[in-house]
Structure formats: structure tokens, C-alpha cells
């Protein structure tokens, strides 16, 4: 006796196809919803801010008069912040990931560390702001300097970098490690010549996510007490400064309509910076991306 | 069990005397080696002697401890957590299980070819000179010479000499395996360990690798794990038959495949079990 009746299969074909179509449309709608919101957002920002976006806007200091105000100090401040956050968080994050994956023996303590790193990734950014305020700004007397903000932001993005780097390192086939060890390579030689080159695309993906977050975060910096108005550029990492999201936040909280347009223009600058960052990462990634 | 141990030991002794080997041409001497994965004992009282410039084949049913044993010979087994060993393996007179023996030093003398070809995601050239580079050779001229010599040694030079800078992943499986052999030759080892090196290859590539081994044994000592009886018979001088973590019989290949001493060996090689 056959269990699958051909006639029944044919008769149920229509409703099965219909259900398939329904779900297909449902998921397409879900995708379109996201795209639509993104589109509206971009349209609003571009239509509002594009008119104010010119070379003068990029080169001007902040001002109380909207027609003279610019993002110069904030833009340079954001670049300074990145210059501090990128090396510190990458070194600490990738270093931790290498230690946990390659050197540490798998025991209760490393499992405990692992779980806590994942937990840290979920801690609200404002809490990191409080930590930075207590430790860097007050206890270490760094004030609201580039360094204090940079260290705070590094801590904030560290879990993301660690988790992404560990996954990337773990994804490197163990056969490649064995081949290297089998030729008499030390652990470090294997890491630097085999594991890291193969893991770099994954590590970079994590790093970009992390840095994009750091460049856009406002809450922890507000908690640190970063000034909303800075009319000069930092000369060292110990100087006070401000960043793009702070400047945008400042402008949106003003009552005048012009300042809202300025905020939109500031957002365009911020988004461009993000795209630039991503493009660099894609380039590096393509350079290293090899199948294995 | 105790009886088995005795026979295998006396066989080893007879073997040793029979071939007239002396301390000088013994590469590896394994004495009373026991190995556990956690609580699970994988090797039991192994006694084996590997002689210079010979091909020693290790045969036996799946799970009998062949890979475990061969990986102990270059201490690759240490990469697996929870492994414990007891006994002694002396390589050229020094106990390698002694923690003061640096594995990196050992693995420079003892090369390994794995079951699955595992080239690095780098160019063919970079694959071959990887070993020399990590051992500190920077001179481009010397590296080039090593690369050519090793690739010729692995009988793949003619196939790759015009594409040395292409990625090794573009080679066929058989070519990749010979590249891995070349990479192993480049560290100028004394012993080459091979764990089923042809199991992922087609018959023609297998034949090429087998011919290669005949050539290589003139300058190297080779230990090869294989599931292929004909292969063991064709290429090896001595054969060890492993069963449930023990060496049942270790003798000249010709004898092993014509009139083995142990009934279990005969059953295995005639295909009655395993
Ligand atoms: N990583 C490991 N952890 C725990 N037990 C293991 C591990 N590797 C192997 N074993 C056990 O040790 C025994 C010997 O395994 P081994 O891999 O040496 O067998 P083998 O003779 O090489 O088999 P095959 O011919 O299938 O490759 C088996 O019982 C296996 O289950
Ligand atoms: Mg095996």
C-alpha cells in the first residue's frame, strides 16, 4: 500500500502553493517596512539639511547665529574620538579574543569570563557613561577630555569586538592550525601568520559595527559632561572637545527652526563619516578575503 | 590480555634481532606506551621500534588507535584537551614525552602529512616556504632553492612551476596533497608521519603519492597509517597491526601478508573482520 496518494497530493497542491505565497508576501512586507522607514528618514534629513550643507558649514565653528554655525569642531572631535577608540578597543578586544580562544585552557573561570563579556554587550550605554564619569573623569582626573571619552567609548564597544573576534578566530579551520603546528611553528607564529589573516574579515566586521556605534553614541558622553559648545579644537588627548552627535543633540534641543535644519545637515555629515568608515573596512576585507 | 602483551613483546624482540638493527638506526623506540582520552584508554602497552629509511605501515580497524599513536609521535595529540600518557617514546635516544623536550624542536625533525590535504590559503610558493620562514630563513635565494627542491621532491614541480604565485586552493585534491608533502619536505625532516594520506585521493593521484614514498624512503623514515591493505603491502617494509589500542603483531610486511603469527591478524588482512 502506498502512503502517499497521488490524487490527494494534486488536490492539496493549490492551498499549499497559496500558503507559500501568503508567507512570501508577508516577509516581503516586513522587508519593505524597514526600507520604507529608512527611505522616509533619509528623505526628511536630506530635504531638511541638504540646503545648509556646504563647505562653510564644514569649516565653521559653532555659533549662536544659525547662518554662521558649523560642525568643524564637532567633526574634528569625532575624528579625534575615533583615533583614540579604534586602537584601544581593537587592541584590547582582539587581544582578549586571542587569549580566550588560543591560549586560555577551557575551564570554569574562562567560561565565567565568556558569559560576562556577553552580558556586558547588553549593558545600557548610559551605565558605561557613569563608569567613565567615576573612573576616568573623576578618579583619574582626566576631566571631559578626548582621552576620558575615548576610554569610556572603548569599554562600551569592547564586548562587541571581543565577541565578533572570537567567532572569527573560532571559524578558522583547525586543520590550518594543525598544519602550522606540524611544521614546528609556535603558537604565536601560528596566530600571526595563519589565524589572524584568516580571521581579519570577521574581526573587521565586528570592529566596524563597534566603531559605528561609538561614533553615534550620545548618552554616555552627556553623562561624562562633555560641553555642548566648544569653539576650539583639541590639541592633545587631554583637551576638552565635543563630537558630532553632541552637536546635533544641542541643535535639536534649540527652539529655532533653523537649528533643526542644521541638525539635519549635521546628521548627513555623521552618516557620511559612517559610510567612509565602512568603505575603508570593505576595502581591507576584500584584500584579505580568501576562501578556505 | 597479559598473554597478548607477552607475544607482541617477544615479537618485537625477535624482530629487532632478526633485522640486525642496532641503536644507531633506530629512529623511534616506543616503550610501554599507554594513552587515555579522559577515562577512555586508547593505547595499551605499545612497544614498537621504527627503523631508519624504512616505511612502516600501521593498519587496523577503525577506532583501534592508529591516528592516536601517530599523533603521539610528534605530540600533536597534546592539542586535544584531557589526554594523558604514560610510558616512553624515545626519538633518537631522547624521550619526547618528557616535558622539557620542546615540541617545536621535535616537529621540525618530524614532519606530518594529514588525511585531508590542508594547504594554507596562500600562494603555492608561500605554502612551501612557510616552514623555512618560521625557522628564520629570510634569504630570498635560499627560499627559492628550498621551494624548488621540495616541490621536485614531492613530484609536483612540473605541474606548478609556472603558477607558484597562484593560490594553493586552485590545485586539485591530489596536487594539494603533494603540495602538503612538499611543504613537509621543506623543513628537511628526519621522519615523515602520514595519516591516511591517500584516502581523499583518486587512484591515479594515490599511485603518484605511493611512487613518491618509494623515492622518499631513501632519505627519510616514513610511518604511514592506511586502511588499504594493498597499499600497505605495496609500499611498506614493516607493518604493525593495531587492534583495540594494542599492537597485535609487528613484523616484516612480506611476512605479515603471507604467514602472520596471530590468528587475528590473518582474520583482519583476509577481510574476515574489521
Ligand atoms: N579527541 C578524542 N577524544 C576522545 N576520544 C577519542 C578522540 N579521538 C579518538 N578517540 C578515541 O580513541 C580511539 C582511537 O581513535 P583513533 O582516532 O586513534 O582511531 P583510528 O585507528 O585512527 O581510527 P580510523 O581508522 O577510523 O581513523 C577511539 O576509540 C576513539 O573513539
Ligand atoms: Mg584515524
Amino acid at each position: 500500500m502506498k502512503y502517499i496518494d497521488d490524487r490527494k497530493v494534486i488536490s492539496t497542491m493549490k492551498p499549499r502553493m497559496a500558503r507559500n505565497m501568503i508567507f512570501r508576501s508577508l516577509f516581503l512586507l516586513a522587508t519593505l517596512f524597514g526600507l520604507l522607514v529608512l527611505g522616509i528618514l533619509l528623505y526628511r534629513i536630506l530635504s531638511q539639511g541638504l540646503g545648509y550643507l556646504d563647505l562653510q558649514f564644514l569649516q565653521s565653528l559653532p555659533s549662536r547665529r544659525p547662518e554662521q554655525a558649523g560642525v568643524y569642531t564637532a567633526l574634528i572631535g569625532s575624528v579625534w574620538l575615533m583615533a583614540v577608540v579604534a586602537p584601544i578597543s581593537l587592541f584590547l578586544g582582539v587581544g582578549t579574543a586571542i587569549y580566550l580562544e588560543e591560549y586560555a585552557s577551557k575551564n570554569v573561570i574562562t567560561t565565567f569570563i565568556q558569559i560576562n563579556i556577553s552580558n556586558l554587550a547588553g549593558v545600557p550605554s548610559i551605565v558605561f557613561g557613569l563608569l567613565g564619569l567615576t573612573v576616568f573623569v573623576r578618579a583619574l582626573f582626566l576631566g571631559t577630555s578626548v582621552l576620558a571619552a575615548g576610554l569610556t567609548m572603548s569599554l562600551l564597544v569592547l564586548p562587541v569586538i571581543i565577541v565578533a573576534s572570537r567567532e572569527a578566530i573560532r571559524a578558522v579551520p583547525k586543520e590550518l592550525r594543525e598544519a602550522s603546528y606540524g611544521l614546528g611553528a609556535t603558537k604565536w607564529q601560528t596566530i600571526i601568520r595563519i589565524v589572524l589573516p584568516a580571521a581579519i574579515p570577521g574581526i573587521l566586521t565586528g570592529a566596524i559595527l563597534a566603531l559605528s556605534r561609538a561614533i553615534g553614541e550620545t548618552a554616555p558622553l552627556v553623562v561624562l559632561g562633555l560641553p555642548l559648545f566648544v569653539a576650539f579644537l583639541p590639541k592633545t588627548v587631554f583637551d576638552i572637545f565635543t563630537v558630532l552627535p553632541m552637536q546635533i543633540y544641542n541643535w535639536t534641543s534649540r527652539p529655532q527652526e533653523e537649528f533643526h535644519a542644521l541638525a539635519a545637515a549635521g546628521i548627513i555629515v555623521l552618516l557620511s563619516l559612517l559610510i567612509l568608515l565602512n568603505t575603508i573596512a570593505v576595502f581591507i576585507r576584500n584584500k584579505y578575503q580568501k576562501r578556505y | 590480555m597479559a598473554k597478548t602483551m607477552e607475544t607482541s613483546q617477544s615479537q618485537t624482540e625477535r624482530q629487532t634481532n632478526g633485522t640486525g638493527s642496532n641503536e644507531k638506526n633506530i629512529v623511534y623506540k616506543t616503550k610501554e606506551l599507554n594513552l587515555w582520552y579522559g577515562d577512555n584508554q586508547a593505547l595499551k602497552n605499545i612497544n614498537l621500534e621504527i627503523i631508519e629509511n624504512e616505511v612502516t605501515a600501521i593498519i587496523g580497524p577503525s577506532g583501534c588507535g592508529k591516528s592516536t599513536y601517530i599523533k603521539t609521535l610528534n605530540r600533536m595529540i597534546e592539542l586535544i584537551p584531557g589526554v594523558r600518557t604514560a610510558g616512553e617514546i624515545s626519538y633518537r635516544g631522547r624521550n619526547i614525552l618528557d616535558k622539557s623536550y620542546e615540541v617545536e624542536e621535535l616537529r621540525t625533525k618530524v614532519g606530518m602529512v594529514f588525511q585531508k590535504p590542508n594547504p594554507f590559503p596562500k600562494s603555492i610558493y608561500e605554502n612551501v616556504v612557510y616552514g623555512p620562514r618560521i625557522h628564520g630563513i629570510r634569504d630570498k635565494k635560499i627560499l627559492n632553492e628550498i621551494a624548488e627542491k621540495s616541490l621536485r621532491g614531492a613530484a609536483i614541480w612540473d605541474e606548478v612551476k609556472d603558477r607558484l604565485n597562484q593560490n594553493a586552493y586552485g590545485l586539485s585534491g591530489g596536487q594539494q596533497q603533494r603540495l602538503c608533502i612538499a611543504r613537509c619536505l621543506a623543513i628537511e625532516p628526519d621522519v615523515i608521519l602520514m595519516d591516511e594520506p591517500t584516502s581523499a585521493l583518486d587512484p591515479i593521484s594515490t599511485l603518484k603519492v605511493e611512487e613518491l614514498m618509494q623515492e622518499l624512503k631513501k632519505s627519510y623514515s616514513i610511518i604511514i597509517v592506511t586502511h588499504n591493505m594493498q597499499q600497505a603491502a605495496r609500499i611498506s617494509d614493516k607493518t604493525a597491526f593495531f587492534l583495540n589500542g594494542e599492537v597485535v603483531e609487528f613484523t616484516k610486511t612480506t611476512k605479515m601478508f603471507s604467514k602472520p603469527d596471530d590468528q587475528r591478524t590473518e582474520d583482519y588482512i583476509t577481510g574476515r573482520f574489521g
Side-chain angles (χ1 to χ4, degrees):
Chain A
M1 195 202 115
K2 270 183 79 180
Y3 286 100
I4 296 178
D5 183 353
D6 285 343
R7 266 174 310 160
K8 208 157 168 219
V9 168
I10 291 164
S11 65
T12 57
M13 211 61 187
K14 265 222 165 75
R16 281 168 59 195
M17 298 307 275
R19 238 172 294 152
N20 187 35
M21 267 313 286
I22 291 172
F23 280 102
R24 194 193 120 113
S25 325
L26 213 63
F27 298 139
L28 180 66
L29 258 160
T31 312
L32 286 180
F33 179 76
L35 279 178
L36 186 74
V37 173
L38 189 70
I40 295 174
L41 201 78
L42 275 181
Y43 173 73
R44 213 187 105 84
I45 288 165
L46 288 177
S47 64
Q48 215 180 359
L50 219 47
Y52 282 81
L53 190 66
D54 53 17
L55 219 56
Q56 190 236 323
F57 179 71
L58 291 178
Q59 289 172 339
S60 301
L61 302 176
S63 164
R64 297 196 191 290
R65 271 162 301 178
E67 61 279 8
Q68 280 178 14
V71 286
Y72 190 53
T73 48
L75 178 60
I76 301 297
S78 277
V79 174
W80 270 85
L81 186 67
M82 282 306 102
V84 173
V85 173
I88 292 179
S89 62
L90 271 177
F91 177 75
L92 291 180
V94 177
T96 309
I98 290 176
Y99 179 75
L100 288 176
E101 281 302 315
E102 300 285 330
Y103 286 103
S105 51
K106 308 273 170 280
N107 56 31
V108 191
I109 300 168
T110 44
T111 316
F112 180 76
I113 294 175
Q114 265 174 47
I115 293 171
N116 279 294
I117 288 171
S118 312
N119 284 341
L120 273 182
V123 171
S125 58
I126 202 152
V127 178
F128 281 96
L130 285 171
L131 176 81
L133 181 67
T134 326
V135 179
F136 303 128
V137 176
R138 299 227 176 108
L140 296 177
F141 302 108
L142 291 174
T144 54
S145 62
V146 178
L147 190 59
L151 287 170
T152 308
M153 284 298 195
S154 298
L155 287 186
L156 173 71
V157 301
L158 204 51
V160 178
I161 296 188
I162 295 174
V163 171
S165 305
R166 288 192 62 186
E167 308 251 299
I169 289 171
R170 209 176 313 153
V172 178
K174 86 174 194 309
E175 287 79 17
L176 294 184
R177 289 189 180 85
E178 284 176 351
S180 175
Y181 291 139
L183 293 164
T186 60
K187 216 157 212 181
W188 171 240
Q189 286 175 319
T190 305
I191 291 169
I192 196 72
R193 286 163 196 256
I194 303 298
V195 178
L196 279 185
I200 270 185
I203 292 176
L204 272 182
T205 309
I208 287 308
L209 268 175
L211 291 186
S212 306
R213 182 159 175 217
I215 213 170
E217 272 288 351
T218 330
L221 299 181
V222 172
V223 176
L224 286 187
L226 245 64
L228 291 174
F229 184 92
V230 181
F232 52 85
L233 294 178
K235 292 202 175 57
T236 70
V237 289
F238 299 106
D239 294 338
I240 63 162
F241 75 122
T242 196
V243 292
L244 278 171
M246 289 292 286
Q247 185 68 67
I248 294 164
Y249 169 71
N250 177 12
W251 280 331
T252 48
S253 55
R254 300 281 185 89
Q256 299 99 314
E257 197 57 44
E258 287 99 326
F259 278 117
H260 294 173
L262 281 181
I267 290 171
I268 298 175
V269 175
L270 185 59
L271 287 179
S272 311
L273 202 60
L274 274 175
I275 292 171
L276 182 73
L277 215 66
N278 276 292
T279 316
I280 295 171
V282 168
F283 267 114
I284 305 177
R285 200 155 55 194
N286 288 348
K287 188 167 140 25
Y288 277 94
Q289 201 132 48
K290 281 173 195 148
R291 278 174 307 113
Y292 49 79
Chain B
M1 167 101 122
K3 190 151 179 295
T4 320
M5 233 173 65
E6 235 165 63
T7 35
S8 69
Q9 248 167 348
S10 64
Q11 267 157 13
T12 316
E13 264 150 40
R14 224 185 309 139
Q15 192 55 53
T16 314
N17 299 334
T19 50
S21 65
N22 54 45
E23 287 300 320
K24 257 182 96 179
N25 59 18
I26 295 176
V27 182
Y28 270 114
K29 191 168 190 161
T30 306
K31 279 186 246 165
E32 290 299 308
L33 176 69
N34 284 280
L35 185 145
W36 294 264
Y37 290 107
D39 296 331
N40 175 15
Q41 185 164 12
L43 295 177
K44 297 166 195 159
N45 301 319
I46 307 284
N47 289 288
L48 276 183
E49 271 175 20
I50 310 289
I51 311 294
E52 210 167 52
N53 296 4
E54 282 191 352
V55 176
T56 307
I58 299 177
I59 59 169
S62 196
C64 67
K66 305 181 296 294
S67 298
T68 304
Y69 178 65
I70 204 170
K71 279 194 279 182
T72 316
L73 295 178
N74 68 346
R75 280 175 55 187
M76 212 60 154
I77 199 80
E78 283 175 9
L79 295 178
I80 299 166
V83 168
R84 250 174 340 117
T85 51
E88 191 185 314
I89 300 178
S90 70
Y91 165 70
R92 300 276 182 200
R94 259 178 85 196
N95 184 9
I96 61 161
L97 296 182
D98 193 337
K99 290 292 164 200
S100 69
Y101 203 125
E102 296 291 348
V103 275
E104 286 82 7
E105 187 192 332
L106 175 68
R107 289 174 191 159
T108 315
K109 309 255 182 55
V110 183
M112 187 162 210
V113 177
F114 299 80
Q115 178 168 1
K116 248 177 64 196
N118 56 355
F120 299 125
K122 297 173 185 282
S123 72
I124 294 170
Y125 178 81
E126 282 303 322
N127 263 281
V128 185
V129 300
Y130 182 85
R133 269 199 213 281
I134 59 171
H135 295 299
I137 296 176
R138 297 227 170 73
D139 190 327
K140 197 82 186 136
K141 228 182 95 210
I142 298 178
L143 288 176
N144 289 344
E145 273 168 30
I146 294 177
E148 177 166 351
K149 185 166 162 245
S150 312
L151 288 167
R152 279 190 194 282
I156 191 182
W157 172 253
D158 290 327
E159 288 157 76
V160 299
K161 62 170 187 272
D162 300 320
R163 47 194 283 206
L164 289 177
N165 291 317
Q166 286 175 26
N167 197 303
Y169 282 56
L171 298 173
S172 75
Q175 288 173 326
Q176 286 186 9
Q177 191 63 306
R178 276 179 289 142
L179 174 63
C180 292
I181 294 176
R183 185 175 66 184
C184 171
L185 298 183
I187 57 170
E188 299 177 328
D190 175 30
V191 186
I192 303 175
L193 308 175
M194 299 178 156
D195 193 350
E196 300 181 44
T198 59
S199 65
L201 306 185
D202 70 282
I204 292 170
S205 306
T206 301
L207 205 69
K208 276 193 182 154
V209 173
E210 282 183 14
E211 280 168 4
L212 180 57
M213 275 186 258
Q214 291 306 328
E215 202 49 44
L216 293 176
K217 77 175 222 194
K218 292 177 191 155
S219 4
Y220 308 90
S221 315
I222 299 175
I223 303 167
I224 175 174
V225 170
T226 178
H227 270 291
N228 183 328
M229 296 304 143
Q230 285 85 20
Q231 184 170 60
R234 273 197 302 267
I235 61 173
S236 68
D237 301 293
K238 297 232 183 73
T239 303
F241 172 52
F242 276 55
L243 188 63
N244 298 327
E246 291 178 76
V247 179
V248 171
E249 193 160 352
F250 176 46
T251 182
K252 276 201 164 131
T253 303
T254 44
K255 179 166 186 302
M256 176 82 92
F257 286 94
S258 53
K259 42 180 194 324
D261 284 331
D262 200 290
Q263 184 60 41
R264 289 169 296 174
T265 315
E266 190 168 343
D267 288 347
Y268 182 70
I269 57 184
T270 53
R272 252 169 285 181
F273 76 87

